[in-house]
Each structure stands twice: as structure tokens, then as C-alpha cells.
Amino acid sequence: MANSLSLNEQLRFEADTFLTKQCEPLPQYQQVLLHIIGSYNRQTAQSSQNDQMMQYQAILFMKNSLTRLLQQHRNRKRYTRLGMHHQQVYASGLNSNVTDTLNNLDGMPPAMNQQKQLTQEFQDDLKAKILALIQNPDDCILGENAYNQLIRVACIFVKQDFPSNWVQLNQWLLKTFEDLFANINSLQTEDAPRIQRFLSFYFQVLKEQNKKKLSTQKGHFNKVARDHLRCVFKVWEFFNQQQMRMIYDLENDALNLNNYNKLLFEIAAKLDKCLMLVIACGFSLNDLLHEPVDNQYVQVLKQLLKKLKFFTQCVEKLSACSDTNPELASSFHDIFENQLKSLLKHLNDLQVSEALLFHKTLGEYIHAVAQIIFRGELHITRVKKLALYTMYSIVTTTIYNQGNQECSSSGNRDGKIGLLISPMKFKNFEPQLIEASQQYRQMMEMPDPNSAEPLEQNRYDGARQLVQLLFQ
């Protein structure tokens, strides 16, 4: 391991080859790496740069080794299933050389090679030890880079086991949020790095979970998603209020940047991302079917849209006072724009994947995005592009601009409805489809002065205004 850090390229290559080819197949290899990682004690001795590099290297080798081993483990499962299939073919007399053929398949391990087989007990032991290091990094993890690599090691198991086969991790995440909320009024400034580190890990877990596309994989998290939504939202609500108060005077309706706290602001920003990922991972149309009124996900989404409008308003207020203190205005403009960029990106992802989630808030969402587009001179290019793309995503969503009649008659999905796969299933969501369509028409269509309906008389004519903006 020490030679793998050598400045001598030949020595480093030989050490890497030896560890990968000779040591990695041994069952004890992962245990030895864990021993190296956990052997340092930050409480008793000051770590040297060499210690940090050694620990970082051990974590890096573990990550790469586990990635290869789990890939081989999955290949072995496919090999076994394929072998059983070809054995049936062989028994029928259709192929007389099945074993030789299978053993020569690219990417398939030899049938007799059992050294690298990952038993469930071995994986459970690894997960328990990795989780212990994640929970108490201050005891032995040397440096932020090592901790970030350790998160990636944990996410290897999150990819295949969380939450159903890694219950301990799920319980710890929920308990940490519960404990954080219980002690939220007694938090000190020195607690901020610990909270940020936990939220960074939680965010990476959710990002890995959000990559899962199979309904069975997503279904496991759906069972615990409401617990996560409840726990995260309580903490988010507190830090969201603190974030707003530190930059805005609600009584006088004016910016007040004197109380800005960077640590608290960054925690609130990270919680925004975590909360939106909880919705992305946990929401399904089944939730809307079982809870059509006052749906928790829809209610949380309303709060996130309020925050989008809040930071849009902050940018507009900031432009009015940019002449008095241009340096301060410039620094806070970057901060507010980063908030808008993050909110727009994640909200657009939600709208594209689950269009009916916005059935209660579509009009408000369109208005907030249009406000950014029409005041483009106040925003950076990235935010303007995101706002335009968000509007494009909205206007190309069939269920918004055509209602549910055409979809119901033709069975057209256009990729926007997720689980809806037949015209009959649209009938389960007719109220939501109608409401979303009405809100879209209210914002985008021309007013009708001859109509008996007050709403139709006061439509916003947003489509015409957007077209006019293109020609300015």
C-alpha cells in the first residue's frame, strides 16, 4: 500500500498490479483495507500528510475493488441463469458444447472460480463497518477528501441494497433528522460542519436512489418515502425561515443583508436539494390516487415554489440598491442566482418526470418562471436558459395544453405521465388532469371578454406575450 504512493512510477505500477491481481481475490483484502482506514485516531494523535494519503489510498482501493467485485457478482448471477437455460437446451439435444461456450463468454467469470464470490454475510459485515465510519468520521477519518471517497464507497451498496436490504442505514438517516429537529433550538455555530457533512452524505444517497429506474427498485423507497418527507421537511422549514429572515425584512418588505450567515445559508440551500430529491424519489401517481386532497407532496411543492418566487423578488430588490454598494450587491447577486439556478433545475426535473404533481400549482409555477424570463436583464445567462427550458418543458407537456380528452381517447402517453399506460387509467386522475389544464389555459390563453366565466375574461394571455418577447 505504501509503495502505491511512491513517486517512482515503476514501483507504483508494480504495487498497484500486485494489490489488484494478487490481493483483491482474497476474502481478507476488504477487511485489511477497512482496518487501515479505521486504524487512525484523530483524538489521540495529530495525523501527518502521509497518514492522510495512506487512508485516502485505502478508501480509493476499496471503492475500485468493490465496484469490480460487485460487477463480477452480478455477472455470476447472469452466468448462473444463463447456464441453467443452456443446460435445458443441452438436455434437449440442441447444443452439445454448452459448458465450453459459457466459459468463453466475455465478461463471465469461470464456473469454478469461487474466490471472489460475495456472500450476503460478507456484504452485511462490510456495510455495517462502513456505516460506522460514516456515522463517526471525527474519530478516524482524516480530511474531507477521504470522507468524500468513503461516501462513494457507501453509495456502491446504496445502489443495490438501499433501503430494503440496508435497513440500518435507513433507520440512522431518519433518526438523525429526528434528533436534529429535537435539538434544533439549541444548535451552535460549531455544529454547522457536522450538519453539512451529514446532509452531503444524505444528498448523495438520494442522488443514487434517484438513478434507479426499475419500478421494483423505486417501490422499495416509496414505502419509506413519506417518513423521509416528514423528517426532512420539518428541518427544512426551520432553516428556510432562518434563511429568509437573515436576508429580508418582512415587516418593511425590503432586503436586510446585515444578518447574513454563510454557514446557515448553505445548510438551508443543501436542504432545498435534499427535499426536492425526496419528492423525486418518493412521489408516484399512487400517492395522488390514494391521497387526492391535501397530498403531502403537493403541499411541500407549494412551499418550494414560494421559495423560488422569494429569491426572484430578492434579485429584483437587489437591483434597486446596486448603485449604493456595488460590491455587496454583486456578491449577493451571485448567491441569489445560485439559489434560483438550483431551484429551477430540480423543479424542472420534477415537472418533466411527474407532470401531475403540479396540478395544483401549475399557474403559480408558470407565473414564477415567466417573471424570470421577462426580467432577463437581472439574471445571469445560466438562470435565463434554465427558465426558458423550464417554460419549454411546460408548454410541450400534452396533458397541460390539450387537456385529457385527446389522451383519454387515443391513449397517448408522450412520456409525461409516468405510470399511466392505458386510457382507462386516465380516468383515475380526471380531476387532476382537468385542474392542470385549466390552470395552463388561464395563464397562456387569450382573455375572452364575451365569456360568462370571470376566469376566462381575466386570462393572462401568456403565450402571446412570450412570442412578442422573442421578437424584441
Side-chain angles (χ1 to χ4, degrees):
M1 183 65 69
N3 288 344
S4 68
L5 296 171
S6 173
L7 297 177
N8 187 310
E9 185 176 350
Q10 179 64 27
L11 187 62
R12 189 169 65 250
F13 174 77
E14 292 175 356
D16 290 346
T17 303
F18 175 76
L19 289 170
T20 303
K21 302 296 184 183
Q22 302 298 324
C23 297
E24 190 174 290
L26 301 175
Q28 304 93 329
Y29 180 62
Q30 304 295 335
Q31 302 293 342
V32 171
L33 290 177
L34 276 172
H35 176 73
I36 294 174
I37 296 168
S39 62
Y40 299 96
N41 193 326
R42 295 176 62 181
Q43 307 300 325
T44 58
Q46 184 68 28
S47 61
S48 64
Q49 185 176 2
N50 188 60
D51 292 336
Q52 295 181 17
M53 294 175 62
M54 181 70 74
Q55 186 184 64
Y56 179 84
Q57 191 78 341
I59 297 174
L60 194 62
F61 271 101
M62 169 170 277
K63 183 194 72 173
N64 296 335
S65 174
L66 283 173
T67 301
R68 286 189 291 266
L69 287 178
L70 289 171
Q71 182 60 51
Q72 292 170 2
H73 186 59
R74 288 190 290 270
N75 287 345
R76 184 173 287 108
K77 287 184 177 181
R78 289 196 290 267
Y79 171 86
T80 303
R81 290 193 297 267
L82 201 59
M84 293 175 63
H85 168 72
H86 282 280
Q87 283 176 7
Q88 294 173 357
V89 176
Y90 175 76
S92 65
L94 298 178
N95 191 339
S96 59
N97 197 20
V98 172
T99 303
D100 293 340
T101 302
L102 289 176
N103 284 333
N104 289 324
L105 288 175
D106 292 338
M108 294 294 181
M112 69 292 294
N113 182 9
Q114 300 297 323
Q115 282 184 311
K116 296 185 180 181
Q117 188 169 5
L118 290 176
T119 64
Q120 191 60 49
E121 293 77 14
F122 177 73
Q123 293 184 58
D124 290 342
D125 183 58
L126 276 180
K127 287 188 291 187
K129 292 179 178 178
I130 291 170
L131 181 57
L133 292 172
I134 291 287
Q135 290 173 332
N136 302 293
D138 290 333
D139 293 342
C140 58
I141 301 301
L142 310 177
E144 184 178 350
N145 290 336
Y147 184 74
N148 290 337
Q149 286 296 326
L150 189 62
I151 289 177
R152 296 186 180 185
V153 173
C155 285
I156 293 174
F157 289 105
V158 169
K159 182 177 181 179
Q160 66 173 15
D161 288 342
F162 181 79
S164 57
N165 293 326
W166 201 354
V167 179
Q168 296 83 357
L169 174 60
N170 185 60
Q171 292 175 342
W172 176 67
L173 293 174
L174 293 174
K175 185 178 184 302
T176 303
F177 272 111
E178 292 285 6
D179 293 343
L180 179 59
F181 182 72
N183 302 301
I184 207 161
N185 291 317
S186 59
L187 292 175
Q188 303 295 323
T189 305
E190 53 267 22
D191 295 321
R194 176 179 58 84
I195 297 172
Q196 286 178 318
R197 188 173 56 214
F198 167 74
L199 292 177
S200 296
F201 173 66
Y202 185 69
F203 178 70
Q204 292 300 323
V205 169
L206 292 178
K207 277 185 66 176
E208 196 63 49
Q209 176 64 33
N210 198 35
K211 294 176 184 177
K212 300 176 182 178
K213 301 304 178 184
L214 294 177
S215 57
T216 52
Q217 293 177 320
K218 295 173 72 71
H220 291 308
F221 187 79
N222 289 146
K223 296 176 182 178
V224 298
R226 284 182 175 267
D227 294 331
H228 284 264
L229 184 68
R230 173 180 50 82
C231 293
V232 176
F233 180 73
K234 290 191 298 185
V235 177
W236 174 87
E237 192 173 30
F238 173 82
F239 281 99
N240 180 58
Q241 292 174 356
Q242 299 300 315
Q243 185 187 45
M244 289 184 175
R245 289 172 183 171
M246 74 173 69
I247 60 174
Y248 205 87
D249 185 350
L250 297 176
E251 293 182 359
N252 298 316
D253 191 26
L255 285 175
N256 183 6
L257 306 177
N258 296 326
N259 298 321
Y260 174 75
N261 185 305
K262 183 180 179 180
L263 291 176
L264 288 178
F265 196 94
E266 290 176 350
I267 290 175
K270 181 66 75 173
L271 280 165
D272 289 340
K273 298 178 181 179
C274 291
L275 185 60
M276 287 185 281
L277 273 178
V278 169
I279 299 174
C281 296
F283 177 79
S284 71
L285 289 175
N286 287 328
D287 290 287
L288 205 57
L289 187 63
H290 297 143
E291 192 183 21
V293 180
D294 295 332
N295 184 278
Q296 292 184 31
Y297 291 98
V298 175
Q299 297 301 319
V300 171
L301 182 64
K302 288 182 180 179
Q303 301 301 315
L304 289 167
L305 289 178
K306 287 181 180 179
K307 189 158 191 176
L308 176 66
K309 294 195 295 183
F310 171 76
F311 277 106
T312 303
Q313 184 181 7
C314 286
V315 172
E316 293 175 356
K317 295 282 187 181
L318 191 64
S319 65
C321 60
S322 58
D323 295 335
T324 57
N325 194 338
E327 291 185 5
L328 182 67
S330 176
S331 62
F332 275 97
H333 183 266
D334 293 339
I335 293 171
F336 296 159
E337 290 288 283
N338 284 333
Q339 288 287 294
L340 284 175
K341 182 172 62 176
S342 176
L343 288 165
L344 281 171
K345 178 183 180 302
H346 287 88
L347 287 172
N348 179 66
D349 291 342
L350 283 175
Q351 187 273 323
V352 170
S353 61
E354 297 292 353
L356 280 184
L357 177 63
F358 287 74
H359 74 279
K360 287 282 188 184
T361 55
L362 183 60
E364 186 179 356
Y365 185 42
I366 292 174
H367 186 271
V369 175
Q371 192 173 359
I372 296 174
I373 295 174
F374 285 105
R375 297 298 305 274
E377 73 279 1
L378 302 179
H379 301 284
I380 61 175
T381 303
R382 177 61 175 163
V383 170
K384 288 187 287 188
K385 287 182 177 180
L386 277 171
L388 288 169
Y389 181 72
T390 299
M391 188 64 72
Y392 170 80
S393 299
I394 294 171
V395 300
T396 55
T397 303
T398 304
I399 61 168
Y400 295 159
N401 56 35
Q402 294 182 12
N404 67 320
Q405 294 181 358
E406 182 177 334
C407 295
S408 297
S409 60
S410 65
N412 178 33
R413 287 181 63 211
D414 81 352
K416 300 293 184 181
I417 309 299
L419 297 178
L420 299 180
I421 57 174
S422 71
M424 290 301 295
K425 288 192 176 181
F426 280 85
K427 294 184 178 181
N428 296 328
F429 301 98
E430 281 185 351
Q432 291 86 2
L433 287 165
I434 292 172
E435 184 167 2
S437 179
Q438 287 176 344
Q439 290 199 34
Y440 178 88
R441 295 177 64 192
Q442 183 66 24
M443 297 301 300
M444 305 301 287
E445 291 188 358
M446 294 177 61
D448 183 2
N450 299 322
S451 174
E453 294 292 334
L455 287 177
E456 294 181 4
Q457 296 176 10
N458 298 305
R459 285 175 176 165
Y460 286 87
D461 198 14
R464 183 180 60 83
Q465 295 182 48
L466 286 171
V467 172
Q468 287 180 342
L469 185 65
L470 293 175
F471 294 96
Q472 289 181 359

